[in-house]
Amino acid sequence: MATDWLGSIVSINCGDSLGVYQGRVSAVDHISQTISLTRPFHNGVKCLVPEVTFRAGDITELKILQIPGPVDSKQSGDLQHTELGIPGVGCQVGTNQNGTGKLLKKPTSSSSAPQAIPRRMDMKNQEVVISPQQQQCSKSYMDRHLETLNQSKGFRRRHNSWSSSSRHPNQVTPKKSGLKNGQMKSKDDECFGDDIEEIPDTDFDFEGNLALFDKAAVFEEIDTYERRSGTRSRGTPNERPARYRHDENILESEPVVYRRIVVPQNTNKEFCTDSGLVVPSVSYELHKKVLSVAEKHGLTLERRLEMTGVCASQMALSLLGGPNRLNPKNVHQRPTVALLCGPHVKGAQGISCGRHLSNHDVHVILFLPNFVKMLESITNELNLFSKTQGQQVSSVKDLPDTPVDLVINCLDCHENAFLRDQPWYKAAVDWANQNRAPVLSIDPPMSEMEQGIDAKWSLALGLPLPLGERAGRVYLCDIGIPQKVFQEVGINYHSPFGCKFVIPLHST
């Protein structure tokens, strides 16, 4: 009967003009010669309408993809025929080797007499000869899947655990109810249900095959090709992409020259800045000559002392903690600095630094021994320091017994070596070495033998001297010497400071 085919999944070819439709048979009307499909797909795309009806005259080819319901075992040996109910369409029926696939095709003759097609039943014992035209037709997905289920175990060994057991067409696998579950099952069948040849049981050796690939040789070959051809590929290994700041110039107009300071005398010690610029050291005689020429052109001693005091105080404030320590919320934790000065120009530089530190709310204790006659520069700096909140002492006994935050050493001098034999000098050196505070030396001498106090930082003026290891980490400050002053003494000079007045130097 026509109702026996309701629920079957069929494919209807309506020619080039209408295309191919697939869907489930919902109604067959033999009077009006129509067949209706529910949830139809047109050329692989789901239709917007829930049901489509076809006339017999529009159908060129009809394929049965799936027949619903279990097969009646009592009728497995019989082949019964019934009419489809569309008398205008004459159809041929052919079975594949396992007897499960069915093909309904409209004959080329003009006969409109209805032909019988087999009723849905188990046809695995039925052998029907397939015409050459039917063999040329591509097998549907359902035909291929049913053929796979009917093969022997030897041709169905897979690595997937879900297909390791043998199944036959007459075995019904329980399915979960629900439309979503059926869609997921259909997707799994599309991915894993096609016929494949026999797969070996041994797993693929990924590590062994990876070891055969010489990665370094391949990349070396790529680099060699790029160097010869002048090209550069993206994503080259071991090459990190360049990152630039928002204010950095990425257009290089000329090569970078890192040695922009050349001195007439070759020295055995050189330094470099954070940006890589080379800063050579100079001898004490050449350094003294630069200062004297600058003073002749107007850079007087008072101006040099002021610049040195400003730069040294800025460095000291940074060492004390900067804005984290010096802010209104920490008025109860004022940093304490012990300033050790001698009766010379180096000591005057230290007094100028202490005046600026005291102006920035730092507790400064200035140690300076009493002398009958002092330099005019020291007298002037002491007059200014006395107007601050700083404290001046002349005896080591008046220095704090507890560690201070920072010790600034200005005791040593390049020329007056006899001062190191004075009792006040030895007492100040012993106090600084016993105090556990870090030490900053301003313009220290060259020889290590002349430094009685080990410094953690040292601040050089203009150009560095060849300082030893006891000078600690070397910093350089700009005291305002013009470029032509350096050129006058034979130094090819280009400022290494950039936007700062105090920069760190690194030994090369």
Side-chain angles (χ1 to χ4, degrees):
M1 299 293 293
T3 56
D4 295 336
W5 300 100
L6 296 180
S8 301
I9 298 178
V10 298
S11 175
I12 298 177
N13 187 358
C14 298
D16 298 334
S17 59
L18 298 179
V20 181
Y21 288 81
Q22 291 90 18
R24 188 179 299 274
V25 178
S26 60
V28 178
D29 190 351
H30 65 279
I31 300 177
S32 59
Q33 300 184 15
T34 59
I35 181 172
S36 300
L37 302 182
T38 184
R39 288 183 293 181
F41 284 80
H42 179 222
N43 293 332
V45 180
K46 188 175 181 180
C47 298
L48 299 179
V49 295
E51 189 176 72
V52 179
T53 303
F54 301 90
R55 294 181 301 177
D58 298 331
I59 299 176
T60 304
E61 184 181 49
L62 188 147
K63 294 181 181 179
I64 300 178
L65 303 181
Q66 183 179 355
I67 300 176
V71 180
D72 188 4
S73 58
K74 296 181 180 181
Q75 300 177 354
S76 60
D78 303 331
L79 182 64
Q80 301 181 3
H81 300 274
T82 185
E83 293 182 358
L84 181 63
I86 307 178
V89 181
C91 300
Q92 297 179 357
V93 178
T95 61
N96 54 13
Q97 294 179 1
N98 56 16
T100 56
K102 297 177 178 57
L103 177 67
L104 280 72
K105 189 173 182 180
K106 187 173 181 179
T108 57
S109 61
S110 59
S111 174
S112 60
Q115 297 184 10
I117 61 174
R119 189 177 182 181
R120 53 186 181 91
M121 62 183 63
D122 188 8
M123 299 179 62
K124 63 181 180 179
N125 296 327
Q126 182 72 19
E127 296 292 339
V128 182
V129 179
I130 303 176
S131 64
Q133 295 180 353
Q134 293 171 338
Q135 291 179 354
Q136 295 177 358
C137 298
S138 60
K139 294 182 179 180
S140 64
Y141 150 72
M142 206 59 200
D143 294 336
R144 295 194 304 270
H145 183 56
L146 292 176
E147 288 178 4
T148 304
L149 295 178
N150 216 21
Q151 291 178 352
S152 62
K153 291 183 180 180
F155 289 89
R156 290 185 298 105
R157 290 183 298 183
R158 299 173 183 257
H159 292 285
N160 306 77
S161 59
W162 60 271
S163 60
S164 59
S165 61
S166 176
R167 291 180 291 181
H168 299 281
N170 56 356
Q171 294 180 351
V172 179
T173 303
K175 298 182 179 180
K176 296 181 180 179
S177 59
L179 178 61
K180 182 178 180 181
N181 220 8
Q183 293 178 353
M184 295 300 296
K185 180 64 177 176
S186 177
K187 292 181 179 180
D188 292 341
D189 291 341
E190 290 180 4
C191 183
F192 304 106
D194 292 343
D195 288 339
I196 59 173
E197 300 294 335
E198 182 179 0
I199 299 178
D201 294 332
T202 58
D203 294 335
F204 182 75
D205 189 4
F206 288 96
E207 295 182 358
N209 283 269
L210 184 60
L212 299 177
F213 174 62
D214 193 353
K215 186 177 181 180
V218 173
F219 287 138
E220 183 179 359
E221 182 180 355
I222 295 174
D223 294 338
T224 304
Y225 172 76
E226 291 177 354
R227 286 193 297 267
R228 291 178 179 177
S229 60
T231 59
R232 183 178 179 183
S233 63
R234 298 180 61 185
T236 305
N238 301 327
E239 182 181 351
R240 300 181 63 181
R243 295 183 178 180
Y244 302 98
R245 301 191 307 271
H246 67 282
D247 58 348
E248 184 176 0
N249 184 18
I250 64 176
L251 300 178
E252 297 182 2
S253 57
E254 58 184 13
V256 180
V257 179
Y258 293 99
R259 186 178 294 274
R260 296 191 285 185
I261 301 177
V262 181
V263 296
Q265 302 174 357
N266 294 327
T267 57
N268 55 0
K269 192 172 184 62
E270 289 184 342
F271 301 89
C272 67
T273 63
D274 291 337
S275 58
L277 298 178
V278 179
V279 180
S281 62
V282 296
S283 62
Y284 173 69
E285 290 76 13
L286 184 59
H287 192 272
K288 184 178 179 180
K289 186 178 180 181
V290 172
L291 295 180
S292 62
V293 174
E295 187 174 357
K296 184 182 66 173
H297 288 287
L299 187 60
T300 60
L301 177 61
E302 289 77 12
R303 300 180 68 176
R304 192 170 75 240
L305 291 178
E306 190 68 19
M307 284 295 300
T308 304
V310 170
C311 292
S313 61
Q314 286 182 354
M315 181 177 177
L317 291 173
S318 299
L319 297 177
L320 291 173
N324 296 326
R325 181 75 180 274
L326 299 171
N327 61 67
K329 297 181 180 180
N330 287 338
V331 292
H332 61 288
Q333 296 180 353
R334 291 177 57 193
T336 302
V337 174
L339 189 60
L340 308 179
C341 298
H344 39 65
V345 177
K346 309 300 180 185
Q349 294 174 353
I351 299 173
S352 176
C353 175
R355 171 168 55 89
H356 289 287
L357 289 177
S358 182
N359 291 337
H360 286 267
D361 205 20
V362 177
H363 184 206
V364 179
I365 303 176
L366 171 62
F367 168 79
L368 181 66
N370 289 325
F371 283 88
V372 177
K373 185 178 180 180
M374 291 188 182
L375 297 176
E376 182 181 0
S377 59
I378 294 181
T379 304
N380 295 335
E381 291 296 334
L382 283 177
N383 291 333
L384 290 174
F385 183 80
S386 63
K387 305 303 179 181
T388 65
Q389 298 295 328
Q391 178 184 359
Q392 179 184 355
V393 297
S394 59
S395 175
V396 178
K397 296 180 181 180
D398 297 330
L399 292 174
D401 297 331
T402 58
V404 295
D405 293 284
L406 181 65
V407 173
I408 299 179
N409 178 21
C410 297
L411 294 173
D412 299 308
C413 181
H414 297 283
E415 297 175 351
N416 299 333
F418 67 92
L419 295 177
R420 296 193 302 272
D421 299 331
Q422 300 295 324
W424 61 266
Y425 181 91
K426 295 180 179 179
V429 169
D430 292 339
W431 178 89
N433 290 330
Q434 292 176 2
N435 198 286
R436 291 173 292 182
V439 178
L440 167 64
S441 294
I442 299 178
D443 195 13
M446 293 185 300
S447 176
E448 296 184 5
M449 299 300 297
E450 297 181 2
Q451 297 186 30
I453 303 176
D454 292 336
K456 187 174 183 179
W457 308 281
S458 293
L459 182 63
L461 311 180
L463 285 177
L465 301 175
L467 302 176
E469 297 295 333
R470 298 184 64 179
R473 188 172 182 181
V474 181
Y475 284 76
L476 185 67
C477 73
D478 183 13
I479 57 176
I481 302 177
Q483 184 179 11
K484 291 186 178 181
V485 173
F486 289 101
Q487 294 178 358
E488 189 172 343
V489 297
I491 299 176
N492 186 8
Y493 180 83
H494 191 281
S495 175
F497 293 97
C499 61
K500 300 179 181 179
F501 282 88
V502 180
I503 58 174
L505 297 181
H506 310 279
S507 299
T508 57

